[in-house]
Amino acid sequence: MKIFCRFTLTILPIFYMYLVWQQTSQFDPESVSDLSDVLNPYLILAIGAMLEMGHLFEFGFLYFLIIWALLSYGDLKKWMEVIVIIISISYGVVDEIHQIFVPFRSFSIVDLIKNTLGVMVIAILIHKKYSKSEGSRLGLFLRSSTNFFKKDKSKVNF
């Protein structure tokens, strides 16, 4: 059971990265152009703003998934957090470069900044909750993820 759970947590960030790649690969503005005739312009503006805020959540969530996968192998260390920050931000850069080659998409420094902000906000939150907040639900969830996979040292095998 634990092997299956660890495998699932390990594959989850990779699958999520695949989904992000697919989402950024397929965009056709013609598919939503008729909405401007039906929806209020302020509603369209609000939807656009929410989609732009999606960068913050999208790459922050990627950071969380990678950290969660690592927690199935042991306690979280500062160097691991730094590596995951680098991986998450780097994937944001790769995704933006990828968009250069997708019709109707483009490379955007602003999007890179939003991706980085999302990663950093979640990284700070997880660091504080995991290592410094004993009563935090998020910290408890993260620490219990590690504890679930630890071997029971009370059993002695001969």
Side-chain angles (χ1 to χ4, degrees), residues 22-149:
Q22 289 302 311
Q23 183 269 326
T24 59
S25 295
Q26 301 174 15
F27 176 72
D28 180 12
E30 292 296 318
S31 65
V32 294
S33 65
D34 291 338
L35 290 177
S36 63
D37 298 334
V38 178
L39 296 177
N40 183 315
Y42 293 111
L43 182 58
I44 293 172
L45 183 63
I47 291 170
M50 286 189 304
L51 290 173
E52 288 301 315
M53 294 294 290
H55 286 272
L56 297 170
F57 300 109
E58 188 173 29
F59 289 90
F61 189 62
L62 174 61
Y63 176 86
F64 170 78
L65 288 177
I66 297 171
I67 289 293
W68 197 22
L70 286 175
L71 288 174
S72 70
Y73 294 94
D75 293 322
L76 188 60
K77 309 280 191 273
K78 286 184 182 183
W79 66 267
M80 295 167 119
E81 292 176 280
V82 171
I83 298 279
V84 176
I85 287 170
I86 292 168
I87 290 169
S88 300
I89 292 172
S90 296
Y91 187 71
V93 171
V94 168
D95 187 50
E96 287 299 318
I97 292 170
H98 157 248
Q99 290 180 40
I100 293 171
F101 304 101
V102 176
F104 307 111
R105 302 299 300 255
S106 63
F107 180 92
S108 171
I109 295 293
V110 174
D111 286 351
L112 279 178
I113 292 168
K114 290 184 283 190
N115 298 347
T116 302
L117 277 173
V119 169
M120 295 310 295
V121 165
I122 297 301
I124 291 167
L125 178 72
I126 286 176
H127 178 76
K128 285 185 177 185
K129 298 300 180 181
Y130 181 82
S131 58
K132 297 179 181 171
S133 295
E134 292 296 322
S136 149
R137 287 186 202 174
L138 177 60
L140 181 61
F141 170 76
L142 294 170
R143 287 187 295 279
S144 67
S145 295
T146 300
N147 292 335
F148 175 77
F149 291 100

